[in-house]
Amino acid sequence: MTQITINVEDASILPHLKKILNAIEGVSIARPAKKRKTGLEEACEDVRAGRVFKYDGSRDLFQALGI
């Protein structure tokens, strides 16, 4: 299978272009894969959102957890 990437600057022609390509036998349009976040990206997002807790030591951590 041969793949071609097409960059379109004017988004208004996309519906027409998709219709034309779908009409051609043997041509299919692949949807772009969603970009998955890495663990580091998720961790940085947690820091920015304030979902990070700091403890002075293990004793404080265990006390906060109720252990």
Side-chain angles (χ1 to χ4, degrees):
M1 174 190 302
T2 304
Q3 292 184 340
I4 298 174
T5 302
I6 299 173
N7 297 318
V8 179
E9 290 182 24
D10 186 3
S12 66
I13 66 168
L14 279 177
H16 304 293
L17 183 59
K18 287 181 181 181
K19 190 181 285 186
I20 292 169
L21 291 174
N22 282 327
I24 300 172
E25 189 175 331
V27 174
S28 62
I29 298 174
R31 294 194 173 129
K34 292 183 180 180
K35 184 181 178 230
R36 300 188 73 184
K37 293 181 184 177
T38 64
L40 178 61
E41 290 172 330
E42 289 178 359
C44 290
E45 190 175 284
D46 286 341
V47 170
R48 278 185 245 117
R51 295 185 294 255
V52 178
F53 302 99
K54 291 186 178 184
Y55 299 99
D56 290 330
S58 60
R59 181 170 285 169
D60 291 337
L61 171 63
F62 291 136
Q63 187 176 13
L65 294 174
I67 298 175

